[in-house]
């Protein structure tokens, strides 16, 4: 199975400051069609998860542009340019290149 | 897009349960669907996927042979049959649309306990 390793697992941030979460996969996530099926999800407290970013860097509809995704191969990053109170929650990376699909452990973002 | 799960319950170990997910707001029969679960206080775990036609399915190793995913495209319904339930299957089960999980429902809670 492809192991997804996130860091840090806990991220205290100051409102208005940037934040960054890393995710590494145990093997390259480039599929045979040339696409990289790597995604980021956000789960706010008490809510269902929602996808934020798909295929590394594409924001889902309604996702603020302060969220951005980057990376390639095995190393990926989610950045929040200026953290707002509504960004508190747990962020998960996930790969859908291989079976079984696998998630990272989650990174808890909280306000200092 | 709306995904509405139901069927979660408190069940004893070894028993069975069927979860349902009603989909609306999208072309149901052309979209793959998935089940993802989250144990209390834990992270997300992919459980199963099924193609739009229902001809292709895949399962996590932890549930293979015990769980069965299927769909009824005439009713816009997705199902997960859970057999031989174990305490470690206790979780909220979410259905999710698309091979890349672009939308998830609100979830339904399965508790396995004697």
């Amino acid at each position: 199975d492809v192991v997804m390793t996130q860091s840090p697992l806990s991220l205290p941030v100051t409102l208005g400051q940037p934040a960054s979460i890393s995710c590494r996969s145990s093997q390259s996530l480039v599929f045979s069609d040339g696409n990289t099926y790597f995604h980021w999800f956000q789960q706010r407290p008490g809510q269902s998860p929602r996808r934020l970013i798909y295929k590394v860097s594409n924001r889902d509809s309604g996702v603020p542009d302060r969220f951005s995704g980057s990376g390639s191969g095995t190393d990926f990053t989610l950045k929040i340019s200026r953290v707002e109170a509504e960004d508190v929650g747990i962020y998960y990376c996930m790969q859908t290149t291989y079976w079984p699909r696998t998630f990272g452990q989650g990174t808890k973002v909280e306000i200092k | 897009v709306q995904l509405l799960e139901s069927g979660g319950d408190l069940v004893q170990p070894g028993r069975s349960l069927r979860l349902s997910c009603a989909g609306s707001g999208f072309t149901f029969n052309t979209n793959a669907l998935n089940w993802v679960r989250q144990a209390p206080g834990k992270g997300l775990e992919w459980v199963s996927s099924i193609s739009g036609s229902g001809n292709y399915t895949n399962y996590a190793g932890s549930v293979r042979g015990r769980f069965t995913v299927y769909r009824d495209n005439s009713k816009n319904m997705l199902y997960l049959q859970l057999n031989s339930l174990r305490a470690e299957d206790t979780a909220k089960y979410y259905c999710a649309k698309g091979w890349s999980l672009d939308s998830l429902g609100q979830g339904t809670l399965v508790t396995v306990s004697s």
Side-chain angles (χ1 to χ4, degrees), chain A residues 32-105:
Chain A
S32 55
D33 65 3
N35 287 307
T36 301
Y37 294 99
F38 174 88
H39 324 291
W40 289 101
F41 292 80
Q42 175 195 59
Q43 188 173 31
R44 290 170 170 157
Q47 295 188 14
S48 300
R50 70 157 174 161
R51 198 180 68 181
L52 288 180
I53 302 282
Y54 63 97
K55 290 195 290 182
V56 182
S57 59
N58 299 277
R59 271 190 307 275
D60 274 281
S61 176
V63 174
D65 60 8
R66 64 179 180 274
F67 289 93
S68 64
S70 63
S72 63
T74 61
D75 289 334
F76 304 92
T77 303
L78 176 69
K79 292 183 178 177
I80 310 174
S81 59
R82 295 173 304 279
V83 172
E84 298 190 6
E86 66 178 16
D87 301 335
V88 165
I90 302 177
Y91 292 77
Y92 297 92
C93 60
M94 181 194 189
Q95 65 83 20
T96 58
T97 296
Y98 300 102
W99 301 102
R101 310 319 201 188
T102 46
F103 287 93
Q105 319 97 298

